[in-house]
mmCIF file of all heavy atoms in Angstrom:
data_model
loop_
_atom_site.group_PDB
_atom_site.id
_atom_site.type_symbol
_atom_site.label_atom_id
_atom_site.label_comp_id
_atom_site.label_asym_id
_atom_site.label_seq_id
_atom_site.Cartn_x
_atom_site.Cartn_y
_atom_site.Cartn_z
ATOM 1 N N LYS A 101 118.774 227.349 153.359
ATOM 2 C CA LYS A 101 120.218 227.063 153.733
ATOM 3 C C LYS A 101 120.476 225.576 153.831
ATOM 4 O O LYS A 101 121.412 225.154 154.532
ATOM 5 C CB LYS A 101 120.474 227.758 155.129
ATOM 6 C CG LYS A 101 120.378 229.264 155.049
ATOM 7 C CD LYS A 101 120.766 229.906 156.336
ATOM 8 C CE LYS A 101 120.643 231.367 156.325
ATOM 9 N NZ LYS A 101 121.034 232.103 157.533
ATOM 10 N N TYR A 102 119.643 224.790 153.191
ATOM 11 C CA TYR A 102 119.697 223.360 153.191
ATOM 12 C C TYR A 102 119.087 222.774 151.946
ATOM 13 O O TYR A 102 118.349 223.476 151.236
ATOM 14 C CB TYR A 102 119.058 222.794 154.406
ATOM 15 C CG TYR A 102 117.611 223.086 154.575
ATOM 16 C CD1 TYR A 102 116.601 222.319 154.028
ATOM 17 C CD2 TYR A 102 117.219 224.281 155.196
ATOM 18 C CE1 TYR A 102 115.297 222.623 154.011
ATOM 19 C CE2 TYR A 102 115.818 224.585 155.249
ATOM 20 C CZ TYR A 102 114.879 223.770 154.763
ATOM 21 O OH TYR A 102 113.578 224.103 154.817
ATOM 22 N N ASP A 103 119.370 221.549 151.706
ATOM 23 C CA ASP A 103 118.767 220.875 150.528
ATOM 24 C C ASP A 103 117.426 220.287 150.949
ATOM 25 O O ASP A 103 117.394 219.339 151.765
ATOM 26 C CB ASP A 103 119.744 219.751 149.998
ATOM 27 C CG ASP A 103 119.254 219.053 148.814
ATOM 28 O OD1 ASP A 103 118.106 219.355 148.354
ATOM 29 O OD2 ASP A 103 119.970 218.165 148.353
ATOM 30 N N PRO A 104 116.242 220.748 150.351
ATOM 31 C CA PRO A 104 115.013 220.201 150.715
ATOM 32 C C PRO A 104 114.911 218.671 150.482
ATOM 33 O O PRO A 104 114.022 218.036 151.105
ATOM 34 C CB PRO A 104 114.053 220.914 149.812
ATOM 35 C CG PRO A 104 114.784 222.205 149.411
ATOM 36 C CD PRO A 104 116.191 221.770 149.419
ATOM 37 N N ALA A 105 115.661 218.133 149.591
ATOM 38 C CA ALA A 105 115.635 216.746 149.307
ATOM 39 C C ALA A 105 115.888 215.879 150.539
ATOM 40 O O ALA A 105 115.417 214.756 150.593
ATOM 41 C CB ALA A 105 116.654 216.360 148.188
ATOM 42 N N VAL A 106 116.590 216.410 151.516
ATOM 43 C CA VAL A 106 116.781 215.624 152.754
ATOM 44 C C VAL A 106 115.456 215.274 153.371
ATOM 45 O O VAL A 106 115.295 214.179 153.929
ATOM 46 C CB VAL A 106 117.649 216.505 153.794
ATOM 47 C CG1 VAL A 106 117.768 215.779 155.075
ATOM 48 C CG2 VAL A 106 119.043 216.692 153.176
ATOM 49 N N PHE A 107 114.510 216.145 153.292
ATOM 50 C CA PHE A 107 113.138 215.905 153.822
ATOM 51 C C PHE A 107 112.302 215.021 152.828
ATOM 52 O O PHE A 107 111.730 214.105 153.298
ATOM 53 C CB PHE A 107 112.420 217.211 154.180
ATOM 54 C CG PHE A 107 113.092 217.990 155.345
ATOM 55 C CD1 PHE A 107 113.699 219.185 155.023
ATOM 56 C CD2 PHE A 107 113.058 217.467 156.598
ATOM 57 C CE1 PHE A 107 114.328 219.917 156.137
ATOM 58 C CE2 PHE A 107 113.704 218.147 157.614
ATOM 59 C CZ PHE A 107 114.319 219.382 157.393
ATOM 60 N N THR A 108 112.320 215.518 151.619
ATOM 61 C CA THR A 108 111.422 214.835 150.614
ATOM 62 C C THR A 108 111.855 213.355 150.417
ATOM 63 O O THR A 108 110.988 212.463 150.159
ATOM 64 C CB THR A 108 111.342 215.484 149.211
ATOM 65 O OG1 THR A 108 112.718 215.660 148.691
ATOM 66 C CG2 THR A 108 110.756 216.960 149.454
ATOM 67 N N GLN A 109 113.152 213.045 150.535
ATOM 68 C CA GLN A 109 113.649 211.648 150.344
ATOM 69 C C GLN A 109 113.126 210.778 151.511
ATOM 70 O O GLN A 109 113.181 209.576 151.441
ATOM 71 C CB GLN A 109 115.098 211.583 150.229
ATOM 72 C CG GLN A 109 115.640 212.161 148.919
ATOM 73 C CD GLN A 109 117.122 212.276 148.852
ATOM 74 O OE1 GLN A 109 117.808 212.159 149.877
ATOM 75 N NE2 GLN A 109 117.601 212.619 147.649
ATOM 76 N N GLN A 110 112.684 211.423 152.671
ATOM 77 C CA GLN A 110 112.185 210.662 153.814
ATOM 78 C C GLN A 110 110.604 210.646 153.773
ATOM 79 O O GLN A 110 109.977 210.266 154.727
ATOM 80 C CB GLN A 110 112.636 211.344 155.142
ATOM 81 C CG GLN A 110 114.084 211.338 155.233
ATOM 82 C CD GLN A 110 114.682 209.917 155.342
ATOM 83 O OE1 GLN A 110 114.096 209.031 156.077
ATOM 84 N NE2 GLN A 110 115.769 209.618 154.732
ATOM 85 N N GLY A 111 110.056 211.102 152.618
ATOM 86 C CA GLY A 111 108.608 211.104 152.456
ATOM 87 C C GLY A 111 107.938 212.249 153.175
ATOM 88 O O GLY A 111 106.664 212.239 153.302
ATOM 89 N N ILE A 112 108.676 213.270 153.475
ATOM 90 C CA ILE A 112 108.119 214.508 154.109
ATOM 91 C C ILE A 112 107.995 215.544 152.983
ATOM 92 O O ILE A 112 108.949 215.916 152.260
ATOM 93 C CB ILE A 112 109.030 215.030 155.168
ATOM 94 C CG1 ILE A 112 109.142 214.030 156.259
ATOM 95 C CG2 ILE A 112 108.524 216.378 155.747
ATOM 96 C CD1 ILE A 112 110.185 214.350 157.333
ATOM 97 N N ALA A 113 106.668 216.032 152.776
ATOM 98 C CA ALA A 113 106.440 217.044 151.742
ATOM 99 C C ALA A 113 107.168 218.349 152.150
ATOM 100 O O ALA A 113 107.325 218.665 153.327
ATOM 101 C CB ALA A 113 104.938 217.268 151.652
ATOM 102 N N TYR A 114 107.527 219.094 151.133
ATOM 103 C CA TYR A 114 108.237 220.343 151.355
ATOM 104 C C TYR A 114 107.633 221.480 150.624
ATOM 105 O O TYR A 114 107.177 221.403 149.427
ATOM 106 C CB TYR A 114 109.664 220.155 150.826
ATOM 107 C CG TYR A 114 110.457 221.432 150.831
ATOM 108 C CD1 TYR A 114 111.121 221.923 152.006
ATOM 109 C CD2 TYR A 114 110.606 222.217 149.710
ATOM 110 C CE1 TYR A 114 111.769 223.142 152.053
ATOM 111 C CE2 TYR A 114 111.310 223.425 149.720
ATOM 112 C CZ TYR A 114 111.909 223.846 150.847
ATOM 113 O OH TYR A 114 112.641 225.025 150.903
ATOM 114 N N PHE A 115 107.344 222.633 151.320
ATOM 115 C CA PHE A 115 106.785 223.789 150.755
ATOM 116 C C PHE A 115 107.643 225.028 151.121
ATOM 117 O O PHE A 115 108.071 225.154 152.272
ATOM 118 C CB PHE A 115 105.373 224.058 151.326
ATOM 119 C CG PHE A 115 104.448 222.857 151.116
ATOM 120 C CD1 PHE A 115 104.364 221.862 152.094
ATOM 121 C CD2 PHE A 115 103.686 222.827 149.975
ATOM 122 C CE1 PHE A 115 103.487 220.804 151.911
ATOM 123 C CE2 PHE A 115 102.815 221.706 149.732
ATOM 124 C CZ PHE A 115 102.747 220.791 150.681
ATOM 125 N N ALA A 116 107.773 225.908 150.187
ATOM 126 C CA ALA A 116 108.630 227.152 150.336
ATOM 127 C C ALA A 116 107.629 228.318 150.377
ATOM 128 O O ALA A 116 107.005 228.590 149.317
ATOM 129 C CB ALA A 116 109.659 227.313 149.286
ATOM 130 N N LEU A 117 107.518 228.986 151.500
ATOM 131 C CA LEU A 117 106.701 230.193 151.588
ATOM 132 C C LEU A 117 107.438 231.335 152.198
ATOM 133 O O LEU A 117 107.112 231.962 153.207
ATOM 134 C CB LEU A 117 105.423 229.903 152.498
ATOM 135 C CG LEU A 117 104.522 228.785 152.087
ATOM 136 C CD1 LEU A 117 103.370 228.628 153.070
ATOM 137 C CD2 LEU A 117 103.925 229.075 150.674
#
Side-chain angles (χ1 to χ4, degrees):
K101 297 182 180 180
Y102 58 90
D103 181 359
V106 174
F107 294 112
T108 59
Q109 289 171 352
Q110 297 296 316
I112 298 172
Y114 172 82
F115 302 90
L117 300 178

